Amino acid sequence: MYKDDPGYDCSKLLETPYDPEFAEKKYNPDKPMENRITDIGPPHYAQFFPEVIKKNYGKWLTHEIIQPGVIKYTSETGDVMWVVRCGTPRLLTTNLMREISDIADKFSEGICRWTTRNSVEFHVTDEGTLKDLIEYLNNFKHPGGSYKLPIGGTGAGITNIVHTQGWIHCHTPATDASGMVKGVMDDIFEYWHSHKLPAKLRISMACCLNMCGAVHCSDIALLGIHRKPPFVEDDRITGVCEIPLAIAACPTAAIKPATVELPDGKKVKSVRVNEPRCMFCGNCYTMCPAMPLADAEGDGVAILAGGKISNRITQPSFSKLIIPYIPNEPPRWPGVCEAVRKMVEAYEKNANKYERLGDWAKRVGWERFYELCDIPFSDKSIDDYRLAYDTYHTTTQFKWSSHTDALMK
Amino acid sequence: MADLKKHDTPMIDELKKGPWPSFADDINTRAESGVQCCYDLLGQMELSYVHKETHWKHGGIVGVFGYGGGVIGRYSDAPHEFPSIAHFHTLRINQPASKFYNTKFLRKLCDMWDHRGSGIFNFHGSTGDMVMIGTTTDQLEPIFFDLTHQFDMDLGGSGSNLRTPSCCVGKARCEYSCLDTQAITYDLTMTYQDELHRPAFPYKFKFKTSGCPNDCVAAIARACTSIIGTWRDNIRIDQKAVQAYIGGEIKPNAGAFSDRDWGPFDIQKEVIDLCPSKCMYMDGNELKIDDRECVRCMHCINVMPSALRPGVDTGATILNGAKAPILEGAQMSTLIIPFMKMEYPYQEFKDYVELMWDWWMEEGKNRERLGELIQRQGLRHYIVDILGRKPIPQHVKEPRSNPYHFWKEEEVPGGWKRDLAEFRKKHLA
């Protein structure tokens, strides 16, 4: 069952060309268990390691970022390896994948790796190849002029924006993902391949509150939100939903069972939404397709900031709601881009070395953060959901800022 | 080729401009090589840009025989306008741990995906799976046959099951890694194949493994069980290299601040004063660490990777219960086991997993994550009654500030049954 014995590898399997007829020959819908292989898990990771990694596994001694996007690793065996990190939009076609394979074949012994932030990395072991690879990537562009694989994403800069599917492939989004990310990354591209920020800055994007992108602990989080309660399709609900599940799905108990009369006089079981209790989380829609809530005017983007995952210096922390709503503005979301840029620039200018965005905001005080970023404070940043008390300000210690000045005028 | 239908997509075309890699250009290039579904996908996306609403339908259960997860049904709500994406299902494929690939694999996969689907991938999904976007229902079984027979690959998790475990780059490339993250991830994935493919849980469940507290896989924010590498002996110090940092011969933080002049490196200001537990000091020319006071935050090691290394007695801190906000608000993983050795075959860890899963499967409500169940029934109950572990101060940030503990009858001498008549003899009503 296990494939982790030292002799195992699937290279023979991979050397056999793809047989497009194979499944049709082997799969019989009337006997689905015939010839079936199940529960074999993923291929063993070690067979895809470059030789230098196989040899130095667990023996790495130190590393140095020799330029943004290029990391040099030194092993206790004396071996040296360079990694070139390149951004991708996460969505990739087979065309680009074959080109990535061409690059890996030409420069990095036929091997590449993806990071948790959707960047692709090439490993090389000699400086000449490294130079050629960098030059190749810098000239490697799409017909429209964008880089196919821009080098960067290391050190005190911005990494790739982890994001979700959005309008390209998801059924619950409140906004698009790939388009917004393209807009934001174009706007702050200078921080992708430079090391001029006070520390690393992580932007993440999720297109609805389900947060497949887990943006809730990011320096800057872009989050698609709805602002209108769900429709209830009375004539369809019993056919496509289990009503008790839809009711139980609501975290605020805003959904109640109801018997309603359709226009044709037929009485059916359905639900009613207590609209003032709806917080637009969309969980009912996830459980029940007859309760859609997407809406061109209602939907948009919230921006959160100040979260982090790393345990470095300060503890991991959640992102906080800074801007409650920006309308969806395809194709480039200028409002989102402007807000992100304001925060990044204020952070660049004001934070100390090694200080993450949230730690800077905490040090100067959130009141100062709003002032320095030139972002209006809204009543919607005052928590009125559960455990809100944790965010109340129970001290007389605060700083005078433009907000208090305005009150005292 | 002649009957390809290209849609008018001015807004999507706008996204071909600018320096950041353009997915629109990539998909369009593929469409131009004769793939109608790529044109239709861009066309439908343009329609979403006009309407500011998605055009993917909710629902439609599809999958492969015998599995409950791995395939997500996707249908267009404008199939007449975009017929080639009327069905456009997603497959999650279990990625090799830490996502290294050789080009033989990638090229063969491209051949398969061109033949049986849209030729569009997500590399990778947020949970870590290799994701193939866009195929039709009749192709699902053949794809599964191809993956298992021709690629040695299997589907990943979706629905109320174990989601595909994932990890950081670990010992493959990182000198900080206190764990063999890939080996752990591979072993857990193989051990729990049934849980991964056949939904039997109240809701999703995630394992994530990071080699050190820098947590590059975001385990503490996303995983129901976060396995994060740490050490219990002393940070290894190379005093000569410390001097090289002080003398400016080695750049701090491996050169991560190279595009700005922050002045000469100051070990007092940049390392010692920033240490969260203030456990470091200079003794003449020697850097000293009071390791008993160290909280292993990684800052000093990150700043001086050539001078400082984690200790050699390594293992994992196990934390539970992270999740995104749906439903009860976002939660970070909570520290449960300060240190576990994590040695193959990880039996101590698996015994722990069994206890955790038995409780959650028995008590968890529909769509209740482990972290939410811990909240609902109490961290104390989970640690003491379910796991049978000794409570320690490390389990809390600070002790509770209310006195409302639910004392048990057996904890109070004489129990709870009392004689009211005797009570009233002493106290008039």
Side-chain angles (χ1 to χ4, degrees):
Chain A
M1 166 81 178
Y2 269 36
K3 297 184 282 188
D4 56 354
D5 64 286
Y8 177 85
D9 73 85
C10 63
S11 57
K12 265 200 187 139
L13 209 56
L14 298 180
E15 264 152 32
T16 317
Y18 174 63
D19 176 2
E21 312 276 299
F22 180 88
E24 277 74 12
K25 283 185 283 191
K26 286 281 185 181
Y27 179 63
N28 175 0
D30 300 327
K31 292 180 183 167
M33 287 313 288
E34 201 174 76
N35 302 318
R36 199 170 194 81
I37 303 176
T38 66
D39 300 287
I40 56 168
H44 194 266
Y45 52 92
Q47 65 196 307
F48 297 132
F49 286 160
E51 284 306 315
V52 62
I53 284 182
K54 280 183 194 162
K55 188 179 157 202
N56 294 288
Y57 193 82
K59 294 178 189 164
W60 296 106
L61 207 53
T62 191
H63 72 284
E64 186 195 341
I65 312 171
I66 59 167
Q67 67 180 69
V70 183
I71 315 169
K72 178 185 176 186
Y73 290 87
T74 309
S75 165
E76 61 191 31
T77 64
D79 285 350
V80 170
M81 170 181 78
W82 289 269
V83 169
V84 180
R85 182 174 297 168
C86 309
T88 82
R90 190 177 86 137
L91 270 172
L92 298 177
T93 69
T94 46
N95 288 29
L96 185 55
M97 188 64 90
R98 288 195 176 92
E99 289 178 316
I100 290 172
S101 299
D102 291 342
I103 293 168
D105 283 345
K106 194 167 170 194
F107 298 100
S108 63
E109 296 165 27
I111 289 170
C112 54
R113 173 198 179 240
W114 271 262
T115 71
T116 40
R117 298 193 75 86
N118 308 317
S119 294
V120 63
E121 295 180 326
F122 301 99
H123 303 72
V124 298
T125 49
D126 80 84
E127 264 186 300
T129 311
L130 175 70
K131 219 176 124 233
D132 295 344
L133 172 60
I134 291 169
E135 196 188 327
Y136 186 91
L137 291 168
N138 285 338
N139 294 308
F140 186 47
K141 292 185 177 177
H142 282 294
S146 66
Y147 288 97
K148 285 187 178 174
L149 297 170
I151 299 170
T154 53
I158 288 173
T159 39
N160 206 338
I161 299 182
V162 168
H163 64 96
T164 56
Q165 307 259 44
W167 292 333
I168 196 125
H169 208 228
C170 184
H171 66 289
T172 68
T175 186
D176 187 35
S178 317
M180 187 195 304
V181 165
K182 167 77 174 143
V184 172
M185 282 307 279
D186 277 344
D187 196 47
I188 53 173
F189 189 67
E190 63 185 288
Y191 298 101
W192 161 258
H193 51 64
S194 70
H195 287 161
K196 55 184 184 176
L197 290 178
K200 61 171 75 169
L201 191 125
R202 300 283 175 266
I203 306 179
S204 308
M205 194 277 148
C207 52
C208 81
L209 275 80
N210 275 321
M211 270 197 202
C212 303
V215 306
H216 56 292
C217 298
S218 305
D219 293 288
I220 297 177
L222 316 176
L223 179 64
I225 58 159
H226 303 286
R227 297 186 305 164
K228 293 190 186 180
F231 291 102
V232 180
E233 284 181 280
D234 291 326
D235 56 346
R236 189 167 167 254
I237 192 164
T238 49
V240 297
C241 309
E242 288 192 45
I243 287 176
L245 285 183
I247 292 167
C250 181
T252 61
I255 303 173
K256 294 270 182 277
T259 302
V260 296
E261 196 175 311
L262 297 179
D264 63 4
K266 197 176 150 197
K267 284 193 172 162
V268 293
K269 284 187 176 153
S270 183
V271 298
R272 282 295 169 263
V273 179
N274 180 350
E275 293 181 344
R277 293 187 75 153
C278 178
M279 60 172 192
F280 323 102
C281 71
N283 203 42
C284 52
Y285 181 58
T286 298
M287 299 310 291
C288 178
M291 298 184 73
L293 69 170
D295 185 88
E297 281 76 39
D299 297 349
V301 186
I303 299 193
L304 296 87
K308 79 197 243 312
I309 284 151
S310 159
N311 290 271
R312 182 177 186 175
I313 307 179
T314 55
Q315 295 169 10
S317 65
F318 290 122
S319 322
K320 288 101 181 125
L321 180 70
I322 304 298
I323 301 178
Y325 178 78
I326 296 173
N328 279 328
E329 301 167 306
R332 286 202 165 263
W333 280 263
V336 171
C337 294
E338 191 199 339
V340 169
R341 178 164 270 281
K342 275 182 178 176
M343 279 191 256
V344 172
E345 287 178 351
Y347 168 65
E348 179 187 12
K349 208 167 137 197
N350 294 288
N352 292 336
K353 192 178 180 187
Y354 304 112
E355 194 170 49
R356 293 287 291 266
L357 188 138
D359 294 327
W360 160 60
K362 225 186 261 175
R363 177 173 59 82
V364 298
W366 284 100
E367 64 265 61
R368 187 77 69 231
F369 172 86
Y370 280 93
E371 196 176 68
L372 290 169
C373 294
D374 186 28
I375 289 170
F377 185 80
S378 136
D379 61 325
K380 294 169 185 66
S381 286
I382 299 175
D383 195 352
D384 47 14
Y385 193 55
R386 289 175 198 168
L387 307 175
Y389 183 79
D390 290 356
T391 64
Y392 297 178
H393 196 153
T394 52
T395 169
T396 58
Q397 297 181 8
F398 64 89
K399 290 180 183 174
W400 306 114
S401 76
S402 52
H403 308 87
T404 43
D405 295 348
L407 287 179
M408 292 181 291
K409 254 181 203 165
Chain B
M1 293 288 278
D3 53 0
L4 283 179
K5 188 184 174 197
K6 186 176 190 291
H7 305 276
D8 193 22
T9 56
M11 281 197 272
I12 301 300
D13 291 345
E14 166 62 33
L15 293 173
K16 292 178 184 172
K17 299 174 191 161
W20 187 250
S22 170
F23 68 96
D25 219 339
D26 183 22
I27 297 174
N28 190 65
T29 304
R30 182 159 165 74
E32 281 171 358
S33 57
V35 185
Q36 182 61 51
C37 70
C38 289
Y39 277 135
D40 280 2
L41 187 64
L42 294 174
Q44 181 171 309
M45 197 166 184
E46 180 76 21
L47 193 64
S48 282
Y49 273 40
V50 173
H51 291 162
K52 300 183 188 178
E53 287 165 11
T54 189
H55 280 285
W56 295 105
K57 268 191 213 180
H58 184 308
I61 292 177
V62 287
V64 301
F65 184 78
Y67 279 21
V71 184
I72 298 110
R74 193 64 79 233
Y75 299 89
S76 169
D77 72 4
H80 300 298
E81 218 172 326
F82 310 107
S84 71
I85 57 167
H87 315 192
F88 212 59
H89 309 318
T90 301
L91 288 114
R92 290 188 187 160
I93 317 295
N94 198 147
Q95 81 288 359
S98 70
K99 306 184 187 108
F100 284 86
Y101 297 94
N102 68 27
T103 54
K104 283 181 205 158
F105 178 86
L106 294 175
R107 289 178 193 284
K108 191 168 170 179
L109 195 74
C110 289
D111 292 343
M112 191 275 273
W113 193 224
D114 283 348
H115 177 61
R116 301 211 177 271
S118 66
I120 300 173
F121 297 104
N122 275 335
F123 254 67
H124 294 74
S126 296
T127 300
D129 296 280
M130 239 177 63
V131 175
M132 302 201 288
I133 291 178
T135 192
T136 50
T137 309
D138 59 319
Q139 289 295 334
L140 296 172
E141 286 291 349
I143 289 170
F144 182 68
F145 255 69
D146 281 347
L147 286 171
T148 48
H149 289 267
Q150 300 201 59
F151 291 87
D152 193 31
M153 291 293 273
D154 202 342
L155 296 184
S158 67
S160 290
N161 58 11
L162 174 64
R163 298 302 177 84
T164 310
S166 67
C167 62
C168 69
V169 74
K171 288 174 187 283
R173 223 179 63 198
C174 185
E175 71 267 24
Y176 302 153
S177 191
C178 300
L179 295 174
D180 196 337
T181 58
Q182 287 101 339
I184 292 166
T185 300
Y186 183 77
D187 189 88
L188 294 178
T189 309
M190 297 306 282
T191 304
Y192 298 118
Q193 281 290 296
D194 199 30
E195 286 78 2
L196 218 157
H197 292 135
R198 292 166 198 89
F201 288 156
Y203 197 17
K204 66 178 85 160
F205 192 94
K206 298 182 179 182
F207 286 122
K208 291 191 192 295
T209 308
S210 275
C212 84
N214 281 329
D215 196 5
C216 289
V217 80
I220 208 162
R222 305 195 286 165
C224 303
T225 297
S226 319
I227 305 163
I228 301 179
T230 194
W231 64 95
R232 56 183 171 183
D233 54 349
N234 298 339
I235 291 176
R236 288 173 280 171
I237 309 177
D238 176 344
Q239 297 289 354
K240 255 173 82 182
V242 171
Q243 288 307 311
Y245 279 103
I246 293 171
E249 293 134 52
I250 313 179
K251 289 178 212 151
N253 218 95
F257 297 89
S258 57
D259 289 321
R260 187 155 154 189
D261 182 11
W262 291 94
F265 175 66
D266 179 343
I267 194 168
Q268 185 65 39
K269 200 173 120 204
E270 298 186 37
V271 181
I272 296 171
D273 291 349
L274 290 180
C275 171
S277 62
K278 302 283 178 279
C279 70
M280 311 179 82
Y281 57 97
M282 290 304 289
D283 183 2
N285 277 339
E286 291 226 321
L287 177 69
K288 291 284 170 75
I289 302 175
D290 182 355
D291 284 273
R292 190 74 184 159
E293 295 301 309
C294 170
V295 293
R296 299 168 313 286
C297 86
M298 297 297 295
H299 175 62
C300 58
I301 298 174
N302 287 332
V303 175
M304 303 190 291
S306 295
L308 303 175
R309 304 179 75 185
V312 290
D313 184 9
T314 54
T317 300
I318 312 291
L319 308 93
N320 275 159
K323 57 180 283 293
I326 296 268
L327 281 169
E328 292 293 321
Q331 292 180 20
M332 218 101 64
S333 267
T334 301
L335 189 151
I336 305 292
I337 303 176
F339 189 85
M340 192 186 273
K341 269 312 264 186
M342 294 308 283
E343 279 163 358
Y344 181 82
Y346 316 108
Q347 197 52 52
E348 187 187 358
F349 180 75
K350 287 172 189 169
D351 290 344
Y352 167 75
V353 169
E354 297 293 316
L355 282 177
M356 179 173 72
W357 279 355
D358 282 350
W359 176 61
W360 180 51
M361 288 169 79
E362 187 68 35
E363 297 286 330
K365 294 192 287 191
N366 183 43
R367 280 169 71 76
E368 185 173 50
R369 297 283 292 271
L370 176 74
E372 287 161 331
L373 177 61
I374 294 174
Q375 277 276 13
R376 183 160 63 84
Q377 294 205 354
L379 179 65
R380 190 208 63 79
H381 174 63
Y382 177 58
I383 291 170
V384 178
D385 303 330
I386 304 303
L387 301 175
R389 302 191 78 88
K390 192 177 172 332
I392 52 174
Q394 283 81 353
H395 283 139
V396 292
K397 260 186 201 150
E398 58 183 38
R400 70 197 294 162
S401 42
N402 68 68
Y404 303 128
H405 175 63
F406 292 91
W407 293 97
K408 289 189 187 121
E409 188 171 10
E410 60 270 23
E411 288 179 308
V412 189
W416 288 349
K417 294 202 176 41
R418 293 181 288 153
D419 187 334
L420 179 60
E422 282 298 314
F423 182 83
R424 284 291 165 229
K425 278 182 195 169
K426 289 183 278 181
H427 306 279
L428 286 179

